Amino acid sequence: MHIKVIKPGLATSVQDAGRNGYYHLGIPPSGALDQYSFRAANLLLGNAETAAVLECTLLGPQLQFSTACQIAICGAAMQPRINGQPQAVHQVLSIAAGDTLDFLPAAAGMRAYLAVSGGIDLPAVLDSRSTYALGGLGGYQGRCLQAGDILPLVAAPPTTAPVGRTLPAALQATLPRKAEVRVLPGLYAHRLCAESAARFYQDQWRVSSESDRIGYRLKGGAPLQFQPREAPFGAGADPSNIVDAGYPIGSIQVPSGKEPIILLRDAVSGGGYAMIGTVISADLDMVGQLQPNQGIMFTAVDMQQALQARQHYQAGLQQLRQALLDG
């Protein structure tokens, strides 16, 4: 029971809930950038919520299945085709042995999640099957898929969701073309000049083509000015340098004050650039669904608002579980 990769797509990789608990050792969590859609695909199919899936980025792969199974695709509007015939996303689909699956380019969103009944059966590394390509860890040989790869499948569970089962529209992830993202200012926001600190939240930024799972680089806003200072021992001469510190996932650094970078789930765990704020966890899925050249603006929030947003996000996940596990 396996899937053969005919064409790998742009940056298709095996992902799951992530490799949590090792960031302090320099190993990032990795895992699906859009955790909600990843979990929705598994739950829709009747899989364990955290079963390994394929994360398909903008241009999906072409795959051939050796065995009959069921699949579900959630996240980006990347229309699937079985043997060339268009199919729906957010729906349980039937695959016959020998069938070929491919995708049209994403019409909205950046990442679609392909769940297969039972899940993808690769060895767990540090408690996760997620690919960390920068470190060559996990997933399929620690890298994105290539033509000719063979992905083994877990034996399908005895009961699966019925073909045609559909994720209600109210439970599908939204895919805005312009995102308003909430940021908790700090840890080094005080290093910015007051005018630049205010301007950062007023400007319309756009996602650059250099963005990936490590970080989203942004362009289009005014360069940021840092407070003059004498560089402390251990920090570089660039005004955006600090003495090395840990990087939270979602933190925003601005090397030389020019192009902000939002660090994502494959980011290094620390370094010497000042973090002027951190995208709150509730908005990270949305960031991972932004395509190059799409717009993004930031809104400053306080800790209480960030915690309330996280609580709302968790409530949405619980609503998803109740709808699909009880339905």
Side-chain angles (χ1 to χ4, degrees):
M1 298 176 60
H2 65 263
I3 300 173
K4 181 177 181 180
V5 179
I6 307 300
K7 296 179 180 177
L10 185 60
T12 307
S13 63
V14 176
Q15 300 294 342
D16 62 13
R19 188 171 290 106
N20 298 305
Y22 301 95
Y23 204 34
H24 67 294
L25 301 175
I27 300 173
S30 301
L33 285 194
D34 179 352
Q35 287 280 315
Y36 181 90
S37 295
F38 145 72
R39 292 168 190 272
N42 273 323
L43 289 168
L44 179 60
L45 199 53
N47 280 354
E49 180 177 324
T50 57
V53 304
L54 291 184
E55 183 180 82
C56 309
T57 306
L58 197 59
L59 301 173
Q62 183 181 31
L63 308 168
Q64 186 173 48
F65 291 76
S66 73
T67 186
C69 61
Q70 295 175 1
I71 63 172
I73 299 151
C74 293
M78 194 180 297
Q79 187 180 55
R81 300 185 300 186
I82 298 176
N83 301 325
Q85 297 302 307
Q87 308 290 328
V89 293
H90 302 115
Q91 189 174 97
V92 176
L93 305 173
S94 179
I95 291 281
D99 277 356
T100 298
L101 172 71
D102 64 4
F103 297 83
L104 296 180
M110 186 68 173
R111 292 175 170 84
Y113 294 88
L114 166 61
V116 182
S117 49
I120 296 171
D121 191 14
L122 290 171
V125 178
L126 299 177
D127 310 317
S128 171
R129 294 176 172 81
S130 288
T131 306
Y132 174 40
L134 191 63
L137 191 69
Y140 187 88
Q141 298 183 6
R143 58 167 171 78
C144 292
L145 300 185
Q146 298 177 2
D149 289 346
I150 301 293
L151 299 172
L153 300 176
V154 175
T159 57
T160 57
V163 173
R165 184 191 196 193
T166 301
L167 184 67
L171 296 178
Q172 297 174 16
T174 57
L175 303 169
R177 295 182 181 277
K178 293 183 180 179
E180 295 184 10
V181 172
R182 292 164 288 185
V183 170
L184 189 64
L187 302 167
Y188 295 87
H190 63 281
R191 291 279 302 111
L192 288 174
C193 295
E195 183 180 347
S196 280
R199 184 71 184 268
F200 173 76
Y201 293 98
Q202 296 167 354
D203 279 350
Q204 171 82 51
W205 302 88
R206 58 183 170 79
V207 177
S208 83
S209 59
E210 293 93 342
S211 301
D212 57 19
R213 289 182 45 85
I214 299 170
Y216 261 40
R217 183 180 290 270
L218 309 176
K219 298 184 178 180
L224 303 182
Q225 301 297 319
F226 286 83
Q227 298 276 3
R229 55 109 198 235
E230 181 178 343
F233 178 78
D238 188 284
S240 64
N241 285 153
I242 57 171
V243 179
D244 284 7
Y247 290 155
I249 298 298
S251 60
I252 303 170
Q253 55 181 230
V254 194
S256 300
K258 295 179 179 177
E259 296 176 350
I261 301 172
I262 306 171
L263 298 182
L264 299 179
R265 297 178 68 92
D266 279 2
V268 296
S269 57
Y273 287 116
M275 296 151 282
I276 63 171
T278 301
V279 175
I280 66 172
S281 60
D283 286 354
L284 285 174
D285 289 0
M286 181 168 50
V287 173
Q289 287 292 3
L290 289 173
Q291 296 182 5
N293 289 317
Q294 290 189 333
I296 180 169
M297 290 192 71
F298 298 103
T299 300
V301 297
D302 59 25
M303 179 62 79
Q304 185 62 30
Q305 291 170 310
L307 292 174
Q308 288 174 347
R310 185 174 69 176
Q311 190 175 39
H312 182 73
Y313 177 89
Q314 294 294 342
L317 272 179
Q318 190 57 30
Q319 186 180 11
L320 176 73
R321 295 182 185 112
Q322 289 175 348
L324 295 178
L325 292 174
D326 300 338

